[in-house]
Amino acid sequence: MEKYEIKSEVCVYQDSELRAEDRELVEAAKQATTNSYSPYSRFKVGAALRLQDGTIVTGSNQENASYPLGLCAERTAIFHAQHMHPDQPIRAIAIAAWANGHFYEEPIPPCGACRQVMLEVENRYKSPMRVLLCGSRGVHVLESVKCLLPFQFVSENLKK
Ligand code: THU
């Protein structure tokens, strides 16, 4: 039997400790929650992306009466950014969630489907995408999507 460990590093910052550009991204993610269409879950998620050229692209979760057809905030933002700015690597994503009148104290980790899509971003642009998970008690920062999804299914796995 062999055994190995996979470690992920997470740094937790107070708002005042963040670099200005990250603070701006966190604010954009929070603001994006206001455009969430979530009459079924009443859980408003916002995502904000920082592109290589500095542009910020946002998205929010969009639900449907046929529940599985809705889309998470992360994928809404990523697919829109890749459509509008296909040549711009996405350098960072900030994610915030709001319900019952307040932002969440603890960060909301992206669902598995979004992690897989976020991973594809890193592989497509061959550069890491930083992940900022916003909680009202701190912003949890991961330097790469690989920290969220240590065992990755990528295009190389399709090669025989
Ligand atoms: N949701 C997101 O937008 N992002 C996540 O990472 C987790 C879940 C949305 C999907 C659905 O509209 C609502 O939150 C409740 O699951």
Side-chain angles (χ1 to χ4, degrees):
M1 193 268 265
E2 278 183 40
K3 191 170 167 182
Y4 59 93
E5 272 184 36
I6 303 176
K7 290 189 180 167
S8 294
E9 196 178 76
V10 184
C11 296
V12 184
Y13 294 91
Q14 297 310 308
D15 272 356
S16 57
E17 296 175 311
L18 288 172
R19 340 172 179 154
E21 58 177 19
D22 283 350
R23 210 175 310 132
E24 185 187 26
L25 203 61
V26 165
E27 279 312 309
K30 288 181 173 173
Q31 182 61 34
T33 62
T34 61
N35 285 354
S36 161
Y37 176 65
S38 41
Y40 306 105
S41 71
R42 304 200 179 282
F43 185 69
K44 295 171 179 282
V45 185
L49 310 174
R50 174 77 69 184
L51 308 189
Q52 173 98 42
D53 68 1
T55 304
I56 291 179
V57 175
T58 59
S60 57
N61 55 327
Q62 303 294 318
E63 298 185 347
N64 193 280
S66 175
Y67 289 6
L69 302 187
L71 197 64
C72 293
E74 296 89 327
R75 279 177 285 160
T76 304
I78 289 170
F79 292 150
H80 183 55
Q82 292 188 329
H83 169 69
M84 296 297 287
H85 311 274
D87 300 326
Q88 283 296 316
I90 304 173
R91 306 311 309 268
I93 180 170
I95 304 159
W98 187 97
N100 298 322
H102 54 80
F103 287 103
Y104 272 63
E105 272 194 10
E106 294 302 324
I108 300 301
C111 76
C114 287
R115 291 179 198 209
Q116 184 70 24
V117 168
M118 289 159 67
L119 182 64
E120 189 83 19
V121 170
E122 291 196 344
N123 290 329
R124 174 175 177 169
Y125 298 109
K126 304 205 172 3
S127 65
M129 177 167 74
R130 295 169 61 245
V131 182
L132 285 70
L133 305 175
C134 313
S136 53
R137 293 197 303 161
V139 178
H140 296 227
V141 180
L142 298 88
E143 289 302 315
S144 163
V145 177
K146 292 184 173 68
C147 302
L148 275 176
L149 192 59
F151 258 116
Q152 300 118 27
F153 179 72
V154 292
S155 59
E156 284 75 45
N157 299 120
L158 294 170
K159 291 178 187 145
K160 288 189 185 141

PDB file of all heavy atoms in Angstrom, residues 92-120:
ATOM      1  N   ALA A  92      -8.545  35.894 -12.049  1.00  0.00           N
ATOM      2  CA  ALA A  92      -9.112  35.677 -10.709  1.00  0.00           C
ATOM      3  C   ALA A  92     -10.628  35.650 -10.778  1.00  0.00           C
ATOM      4  O   ALA A  92     -11.233  36.230 -11.680  1.00  0.00           O
ATOM      5  CB  ALA A  92      -8.653  36.792  -9.766  1.00  0.00           C
ATOM      6  N   ILE A  93     -11.212  34.935  -9.810  1.00  0.00           N
ATOM      7  CA  ILE A  93     -12.673  34.919  -9.664  1.00  0.00           C
ATOM      8  C   ILE A  93     -13.009  35.152  -8.191  1.00  0.00           C
ATOM      9  O   ILE A  93     -12.376  34.549  -7.308  1.00  0.00           O
ATOM     10  CB  ILE A  93     -13.277  33.583 -10.166  1.00  0.00           C
ATOM     11  CG1 ILE A  93     -14.815  33.587 -10.000  1.00  0.00           C
ATOM     12  CG2 ILE A  93     -12.686  32.364  -9.471  1.00  0.00           C
ATOM     13  CD1 ILE A  93     -15.510  32.400 -10.690  1.00  0.00           C
ATOM     14  N   ALA A  94     -13.943  36.055  -7.938  1.00  0.00           N
ATOM     15  CA  ALA A  94     -14.448  36.269  -6.573  1.00  0.00           C
ATOM     16  C   ALA A  94     -15.903  35.814  -6.540  1.00  0.00           C
ATOM     17  O   ALA A  94     -16.641  36.023  -7.510  1.00  0.00           O
ATOM     18  CB  ALA A  94     -14.339  37.741  -6.178  1.00  0.00           C
ATOM     19  N   ILE A  95     -16.287  35.171  -5.459  1.00  0.00           N
ATOM     20  CA  ILE A  95     -17.637  34.603  -5.341  1.00  0.00           C
ATOM     21  C   ILE A  95     -18.237  35.028  -4.001  1.00  0.00           C
ATOM     22  O   ILE A  95     -17.601  34.887  -2.945  1.00  0.00           O
ATOM     23  CB  ILE A  95     -17.583  33.052  -5.412  1.00  0.00           C
ATOM     24  CG1 ILE A  95     -16.895  32.601  -6.708  1.00  0.00           C
ATOM     25  CG2 ILE A  95     -18.997  32.456  -5.321  1.00  0.00           C
ATOM     26  CD1 ILE A  95     -16.341  31.180  -6.659  1.00  0.00           C
ATOM     27  N   ALA A  96     -19.474  35.550  -4.064  1.00  0.00           N
ATOM     28  CA  ALA A  96     -20.161  35.982  -2.841  1.00  0.00           C
ATOM     29  C   ALA A  96     -21.584  35.449  -2.846  1.00  0.00           C
ATOM     30  O   ALA A  96     -22.155  35.202  -3.915  1.00  0.00           O
ATOM     31  CB  ALA A  96     -20.172  37.507  -2.751  1.00  0.00           C
ATOM     32  N   ALA A  97     -22.153  35.253  -1.682  1.00  0.00           N
ATOM     33  CA  ALA A  97     -23.532  34.751  -1.597  1.00  0.00           C
ATOM     34  C   ALA A  97     -24.313  35.546  -0.551  1.00  0.00           C
ATOM     35  O   ALA A  97     -23.769  35.923   0.508  1.00  0.00           O
ATOM     36  CB  ALA A  97     -23.530  33.274  -1.227  1.00  0.00           C
ATOM     37  N   TRP A  98     -25.578  35.780  -0.862  1.00  0.00           N
ATOM     38  CA  TRP A  98     -26.447  36.597  -0.014  1.00  0.00           C
ATOM     39  C   TRP A  98     -27.778  35.878   0.166  1.00  0.00           C
ATOM     40  O   TRP A  98     -28.329  35.345  -0.812  1.00  0.00           O
ATOM     41  CB  TRP A  98     -26.666  37.933  -0.719  1.00  0.00           C
ATOM     42  CG  TRP A  98     -27.392  38.993   0.041  1.00  0.00           C
ATOM     43  CD1 TRP A  98     -26.838  40.025   0.757  1.00  0.00           C
ATOM     44  CD2 TRP A  98     -28.814  39.172   0.134  1.00  0.00           C
ATOM     45  NE1 TRP A  98     -27.816  40.814   1.290  1.00  0.00           N
ATOM     46  CE2 TRP A  98     -29.047  40.312   0.927  1.00  0.00           C
ATOM     47  CE3 TRP A  98     -29.908  38.459  -0.363  1.00  0.00           C
ATOM     48  CZ2 TRP A  98     -30.330  40.767   1.229  1.00  0.00           C
ATOM     49  CZ3 TRP A  98     -31.198  38.921  -0.063  1.00  0.00           C
ATOM     50  CH2 TRP A  98     -31.388  40.060   0.726  1.00  0.00           C
ATOM     51  N   ALA A  99     -28.264  35.823   1.373  1.00  0.00           N
ATOM     52  CA  ALA A  99     -29.609  35.269   1.622  1.00  0.00           C
ATOM     53  C   ALA A  99     -30.111  35.813   2.950  1.00  0.00           C
ATOM     54  O   ALA A  99     -29.316  36.204   3.818  1.00  0.00           O
ATOM     55  CB  ALA A  99     -29.577  33.742   1.652  1.00  0.00           C
ATOM     56  N   ASN A 100     -31.408  35.856   3.072  1.00  0.00           N
ATOM     57  CA  ASN A 100     -32.046  36.319   4.322  1.00  0.00           C
ATOM     58  C   ASN A 100     -31.502  37.662   4.807  1.00  0.00           C
ATOM     59  O   ASN A 100     -31.293  37.852   6.000  1.00  0.00           O
ATOM     60  CB  ASN A 100     -31.878  35.278   5.437  1.00  0.00           C
ATOM     61  CG  ASN A 100     -32.545  33.970   5.092  1.00  0.00           C
ATOM     62  OD1 ASN A 100     -33.633  33.970   4.486  1.00  0.00           O
ATOM     63  ND2 ASN A 100     -31.903  32.854   5.404  1.00  0.00           N
ATOM     64  N   GLY A 101     -31.227  38.545   3.878  1.00  0.00           N
ATOM     65  CA  GLY A 101     -30.853  39.901   4.268  1.00  0.00           C
ATOM     66  C   GLY A 101     -29.388  40.145   4.552  1.00  0.00           C
ATOM     67  O   GLY A 101     -29.027  41.239   4.988  1.00  0.00           O
ATOM     68  N   HIS A 102     -28.545  39.159   4.351  1.00  0.00           N
ATOM     69  CA  HIS A 102     -27.125  39.445   4.609  1.00  0.00           C
ATOM     70  C   HIS A 102     -26.196  38.547   3.786  1.00  0.00           C
ATOM     71  O   HIS A 102     -26.596  37.475   3.311  1.00  0.00           O
ATOM     72  CB  HIS A 102     -26.789  39.284   6.100  1.00  0.00           C
ATOM     73  CG  HIS A 102     -27.182  37.953   6.663  1.00  0.00           C
ATOM     74  ND1 HIS A 102     -26.422  36.838   6.492  1.00  0.00           N
ATOM     75  CD2 HIS A 102     -28.281  37.577   7.371  1.00  0.00           C
ATOM     76  CE1 HIS A 102     -27.016  35.822   7.084  1.00  0.00           C
ATOM     77  NE2 HIS A 102     -28.159  36.229   7.608  1.00  0.00           N
ATOM     78  N   PHE A 103     -24.948  39.013   3.645  1.00  0.00           N
ATOM     79  CA  PHE A 103     -23.929  38.182   3.015  1.00  0.00           C
ATOM     80  C   PHE A 103     -23.512  37.093   3.998  1.00  0.00           C
ATOM     81  O   PHE A 103     -23.556  37.291   5.214  1.00  0.00           O
ATOM     82  CB  PHE A 103     -22.712  39.029   2.610  1.00  0.00           C
ATOM     83  CG  PHE A 103     -23.002  39.902   1.428  1.00  0.00           C
ATOM     84  CD1 PHE A 103     -23.243  41.267   1.584  1.00  0.00           C
ATOM     85  CD2 PHE A 103     -23.071  39.359   0.153  1.00  0.00           C
ATOM     86  CE1 PHE A 103     -23.543  42.052   0.495  1.00  0.00           C
ATOM     87  CE2 PHE A 103     -23.373  40.137  -0.941  1.00  0.00           C
ATOM     88  CZ  PHE A 103     -23.611  41.488  -0.767  1.00  0.00           C
ATOM     89  N   TYR A 104     -23.101  35.971   3.448  1.00  0.00           N
ATOM     90  CA  TYR A 104     -22.741  34.842   4.296  1.00  0.00           C
ATOM     91  C   TYR A 104     -21.459  35.103   5.083  1.00  0.00           C
ATOM     92  O   TYR A 104     -20.511  35.673   4.564  1.00  0.00           O
ATOM     93  CB  TYR A 104     -22.581  33.584   3.437  1.00  0.00           C
ATOM     94  CG  TYR A 104     -23.891  32.866   3.263  1.00  0.00           C
ATOM     95  CD1 TYR A 104     -24.943  33.489   2.607  1.00  0.00           C
ATOM     96  CD2 TYR A 104     -24.104  31.613   3.811  1.00  0.00           C
ATOM     97  CE1 TYR A 104     -26.168  32.865   2.479  1.00  0.00           C
ATOM     98  CE2 TYR A 104     -25.319  30.977   3.679  1.00  0.00           C
ATOM     99  CZ  TYR A 104     -26.352  31.600   3.018  1.00  0.00           C
ATOM    100  OH  TYR A 104     -27.558  30.976   2.897  1.00  0.00           O
ATOM    101  N   GLU A 105     -21.476  34.634   6.336  1.00  0.00           N
ATOM    102  CA  GLU A 105     -20.277  34.796   7.179  1.00  0.00           C
ATOM    103  C   GLU A 105     -19.147  33.930   6.665  1.00  0.00           C
ATOM    104  O   GLU A 105     -18.000  34.355   6.556  1.00  0.00           O
ATOM    105  CB  GLU A 105     -20.599  34.355   8.610  1.00  0.00           C
ATOM    106  CG  GLU A 105     -21.160  35.451   9.451  1.00  0.00           C
ATOM    107  CD  GLU A 105     -21.153  35.095  10.930  1.00  0.00           C
ATOM    108  OE1 GLU A 105     -20.543  34.083  11.330  1.00  0.00           O
ATOM    109  OE2 GLU A 105     -21.775  35.861  11.672  1.00  0.00           O
ATOM    110  N   GLU A 106     -19.489  32.694   6.341  1.00  0.00           N
ATOM    111  CA  GLU A 106     -18.483  31.762   5.826  1.00  0.00           C
ATOM    112  C   GLU A 106     -18.556  31.759   4.303  1.00  0.00           C
ATOM    113  O   GLU A 106     -19.634  31.942   3.740  1.00  0.00           O
ATOM    114  CB  GLU A 106     -18.755  30.343   6.352  1.00  0.00           C
ATOM    115  CG  GLU A 106     -18.580  30.206   7.851  1.00  0.00           C
ATOM    116  CD  GLU A 106     -17.174  30.591   8.299  1.00  0.00           C
ATOM    117  OE1 GLU A 106     -16.209  30.314   7.577  1.00  0.00           O
ATOM    118  OE2 GLU A 106     -17.076  31.190   9.392  1.00  0.00           O
ATOM    119  N   PRO A 107     -17.423  31.560   3.634  1.00  0.00           N
ATOM    120  CA  PRO A 107     -17.451  31.561   2.171  1.00  0.00           C
ATOM    121  C   PRO A 107     -18.242  30.385   1.625  1.00  0.00           C
ATOM    122  O   PRO A 107     -18.316  29.336   2.269  1.00  0.00           O
ATOM    123  CB  PRO A 107     -15.988  31.440   1.776  1.00  0.00           C
ATOM    124  CG  PRO A 107     -15.305  30.897   2.959  1.00  0.00           C
ATOM    125  CD  PRO A 107     -16.082  31.312   4.165  1.00  0.00           C
ATOM    126  N   ILE A 108     -18.846  30.579   0.448  1.00  0.00           N
ATOM    127  CA  ILE A 108     -19.576  29.507  -0.223  1.00  0.00           C
ATOM    128  C   ILE A 108     -18.640  28.862  -1.242  1.00  0.00           C
ATOM    129  O   ILE A 108     -18.251  29.496  -2.223  1.00  0.00           O
ATOM    130  CB  ILE A 108     -20.816  30.085  -0.959  1.00  0.00           C
ATOM    131  CG1 ILE A 108     -21.756  30.760   0.038  1.00  0.00           C
ATOM    132  CG2 ILE A 108     -21.531  28.987  -1.732  1.00  0.00           C
ATOM    133  CD1 ILE A 108     -22.280  29.851   1.132  1.00  0.00           C
ATOM    134  N   PRO A 109     -18.258  27.619  -1.017  1.00  0.00           N
ATOM    135  CA  PRO A 109     -17.375  26.962  -1.992  1.00  0.00           C
ATOM    136  C   PRO A 109     -18.155  26.623  -3.260  1.00  0.00           C
ATOM    137  O   PRO A 109     -19.309  26.215  -3.175  1.00  0.00           O
ATOM    138  CB  PRO A 109     -16.935  25.685  -1.274  1.00  0.00           C
ATOM    139  CG  PRO A 109     -17.458  25.779   0.121  1.00  0.00           C
ATOM    140  CD  PRO A 109     -18.588  26.742   0.113  1.00  0.00           C
ATOM    141  N   PRO A 110     -17.557  26.796  -4.434  1.00  0.00           N
ATOM    142  CA  PRO A 110     -18.260  26.505  -5.688  1.00  0.00           C
ATOM    143  C   PRO A 110     -18.646  25.019  -5.775  1.00  0.00           C
ATOM    144  O   PRO A 110     -17.942  24.161  -5.234  1.00  0.00           O
ATOM    145  CB  PRO A 110     -17.230  26.823  -6.773  1.00  0.00           C
ATOM    146  CG  PRO A 110     -16.126  27.520  -6.106  1.00  0.00           C
ATOM    147  CD  PRO A 110     -16.201  27.271  -4.641  1.00  0.00           C
ATOM    148  N   CYS A 111     -19.753  24.749  -6.473  1.00  0.00           N
ATOM    149  CA  CYS A 111     -20.202  23.360  -6.624  1.00  0.00           C
ATOM    150  C   CYS A 111     -19.215  22.601  -7.521  1.00  0.00           C
ATOM    151  O   CYS A 111     -18.373  23.196  -8.203  1.00  0.00           O
ATOM    152  CB  CYS A 111     -21.613  23.318  -7.207  1.00  0.00           C
ATOM    153  SG  CYS A 111     -21.679  23.644  -8.977  1.00  0.00           S
ATOM    154  N   GLY A 112     -19.333  21.302  -7.556  1.00  0.00           N
ATOM    155  CA  GLY A 112     -18.404  20.468  -8.328  1.00  0.00           C
ATOM    156  C   GLY A 112     -18.402  20.792  -9.807  1.00  0.00           C
ATOM    157  O   GLY A 112     -17.339  20.821 -10.448  1.00  0.00           O
ATOM    158  N   ALA A 113     -19.591  21.037 -10.369  1.00  0.00           N
ATOM    159  CA  ALA A 113     -19.670  21.343 -11.799  1.00  0.00           C
ATOM    160  C   ALA A 113     -18.913  22.630 -12.108  1.00  0.00           C
ATOM    161  O   ALA A 113     -18.174  22.712 -13.103  1.00  0.00           O
ATOM    162  CB  ALA A 113     -21.133  21.456 -12.229  1.00  0.00           C
ATOM    163  N   CYS A 114     -19.066  23.623 -11.263  1.00  0.00           N
ATOM    164  CA  CYS A 114     -18.354  24.892 -11.490  1.00  0.00           C
ATOM    165  C   CYS A 114     -16.847  24.708 -11.339  1.00  0.00           C
ATOM    166  O   CYS A 114     -16.060  25.308 -12.066  1.00  0.00           O
ATOM    167  CB  CYS A 114     -18.864  25.970 -10.543  1.00  0.00           C
ATOM    168  SG  CYS A 114     -20.496  26.569 -10.991  1.00  0.00           S
ATOM    169  N   ARG A 115     -16.432  23.877 -10.404  1.00  0.00           N
ATOM    170  CA  ARG A 115     -14.985  23.627 -10.239  1.00  0.00           C
ATOM    171  C   ARG A 115     -14.397  23.047 -11.518  1.00  0.00           C
ATOM    172  O   ARG A 115     -13.300  23.423 -11.935  1.00  0.00           O
ATOM    173  CB  ARG A 115     -14.734  22.658  -9.071  1.00  0.00           C
ATOM    174  CG  ARG A 115     -15.055  23.279  -7.747  1.00  0.00           C
ATOM    175  CD  ARG A 115     -14.837  22.312  -6.603  1.00  0.00           C
ATOM    176  NE  ARG A 115     -15.553  22.810  -5.448  1.00  0.00           N
ATOM    177  CZ  ARG A 115     -15.206  22.606  -4.187  1.00  0.00           C
ATOM    178  NH1 ARG A 115     -14.143  21.895  -3.915  1.00  0.00           N
ATOM    179  NH2 ARG A 115     -15.912  23.109  -3.206  1.00  0.00           N
ATOM    180  N   GLN A 116     -15.129  22.133 -12.131  1.00  0.00           N
ATOM    181  CA  GLN A 116     -14.636  21.517 -13.363  1.00  0.00           C
ATOM    182  C   GLN A 116     -14.532  22.563 -14.481  1.00  0.00           C
ATOM    183  O   GLN A 116     -13.565  22.572 -15.249  1.00  0.00           O
ATOM    184  CB  GLN A 116     -15.572  20.365 -13.770  1.00  0.00           C
ATOM    185  CG  GLN A 116     -15.124  19.585 -14.980  1.00  0.00           C
ATOM    186  CD  GLN A 116     -13.879  18.724 -14.740  1.00  0.00           C
ATOM    187  OE1 GLN A 116     -13.583  18.340 -13.600  1.00  0.00           O
ATOM    188  NE2 GLN A 116     -13.131  18.443 -15.781  1.00  0.00           N
ATOM    189  N   VAL A 117     -15.519  23.450 -14.552  1.00  0.00           N
ATOM    190  CA  VAL A 117     -15.487  24.508 -15.572  1.00  0.00           C
ATOM    191  C   VAL A 117     -14.360  25.501 -15.263  1.00  0.00           C
ATOM    192  O   VAL A 117     -13.652  25.976 -16.159  1.00  0.00           O
ATOM    193  CB  VAL A 117     -16.870  25.211 -15.653  1.00  0.00           C
ATOM    194  CG1 VAL A 117     -16.801  26.496 -16.467  1.00  0.00           C
ATOM    195  CG2 VAL A 117     -17.898  24.252 -16.261  1.00  0.00           C
ATOM    196  N   MET A 118     -14.161  25.788 -13.987  1.00  0.00           N
ATOM    197  CA  MET A 118     -13.080  26.705 -13.599  1.00  0.00           C
ATOM    198  C   MET A 118     -11.721  26.107 -13.954  1.00  0.00           C
ATOM    199  O   MET A 118     -10.797  26.807 -14.366  1.00  0.00           O
ATOM    200  CB  MET A 118     -13.172  27.002 -12.096  1.00  0.00           C
ATOM    201  CG  MET A 118     -14.369  27.870 -11.745  1.00  0.00           C
ATOM    202  SD  MET A 118     -14.857  27.763 -10.006  1.00  0.00           S
ATOM    203  CE  MET A 118     -13.474  28.519  -9.184  1.00  0.00           C
ATOM    204  N   LEU A 119     -11.615  24.791 -13.801  1.00  0.00           N
ATOM    205  CA  LEU A 119     -10.365  24.109 -14.135  1.00  0.00           C
ATOM    206  C   LEU A 119     -10.047  24.233 -15.625  1.00  0.00           C
ATOM    207  O   LEU A 119      -8.896  24.465 -16.023  1.00  0.00           O
ATOM    208  CB  LEU A 119     -10.499  22.630 -13.756  1.00  0.00           C
ATOM    209  CG  LEU A 119      -9.294  21.745 -13.975  1.00  0.00           C
ATOM    210  CD1 LEU A 119      -8.144  22.175 -13.088  1.00  0.00           C
ATOM    211  CD2 LEU A 119      -9.662  20.292 -13.692  1.00  0.00           C
ATOM    212  N   GLU A 120     -11.075  24.125 -16.435  1.00  0.00           N
ATOM    213  CA  GLU A 120     -10.893  24.234 -17.888  1.00  0.00           C
ATOM    214  C   GLU A 120     -10.334  25.621 -18.250  1.00  0.00           C
ATOM    215  O   GLU A 120      -9.547  25.758 -19.190  1.00  0.00           O
ATOM    216  CB  GLU A 120     -12.239  24.000 -18.594  1.00  0.00           C
ATOM    217  CG  GLU A 120     -12.169  23.882 -20.101  1.00  0.00           C
ATOM    218  CD  GLU A 120     -11.781  22.484 -20.585  1.00  0.00           C
ATOM    219  OE1 GLU A 120     -11.898  21.519 -19.812  1.00  0.00           O
ATOM    220  OE2 GLU A 120     -11.359  22.380 -21.754  1.00  0.00           O
TER     221      GLU A 120
END
